[in-house]
Amino acid sequence: MARLIWKKTDSPDDDVAFDLGETPLVVGRDPKCGVFINAPLLSREHARIDFRDGAHFVVDLDSTNFTKVNGERITEKALESGDLVHFSRAVCVYEA
């Protein structure tokens, strides 16, 4: 199963993994989000992870501090295993 791993600190022991399926999940600092990341500068509803055509896509929800994939600012992008996804300053790794 695909996962999004929040690299909370430099220690792998602090990593937080979120399983991704076919149901869309909102990424944000609101505890109601399916991918809850309590980090400064993250919007309450920052982005969404969608599944379509056999792939996961990250979609920025007009966040204040942007979403980037591998350093490139995006509005929407298909994810590939190993991609680094930045939600503001929060760093995640996508594993498929």
Side-chain angles (χ1 to χ4, degrees):
M1 174 175 274
R3 306 185 308 161
L4 192 65
I5 301 170
W6 176 27
K7 308 303 260 176
K8 197 171 179 180
T9 67
D10 289 336
S11 172
D13 293 337
D14 294 331
D15 290 356
V16 180
F18 302 94
D19 291 334
L20 304 176
E22 295 183 11
T23 303
L25 292 174
V26 174
V27 178
R29 64 178 170 79
D30 186 328
K32 295 177 186 170
C33 290
V35 178
F36 170 58
I37 298 177
N38 190 14
L41 304 179
L42 201 72
S43 297
R44 294 182 69 72
E45 292 187 347
H46 196 95
R48 188 179 64 245
I49 307 292
D50 291 335
F51 184 81
R52 58 182 185 268
D53 302 324
H56 285 102
F57 287 76
V58 61
V59 180
D60 186 78
L61 299 176
D62 295 321
S63 63
T64 302
N65 293 306
F66 317 118
T67 301
K68 294 181 180 181
V69 176
N70 299 324
E72 175 189 346
R73 184 175 165 187
I74 59 95
T75 54
E76 180 175 316
K77 182 162 178 58
L79 294 173
E80 296 180 17
S81 194
D83 279 348
L84 286 179
V85 184
H86 287 76
F87 303 104
S88 183
R89 292 185 186 166
V91 179
C92 297
V93 176
Y94 175 74
E95 290 183 352

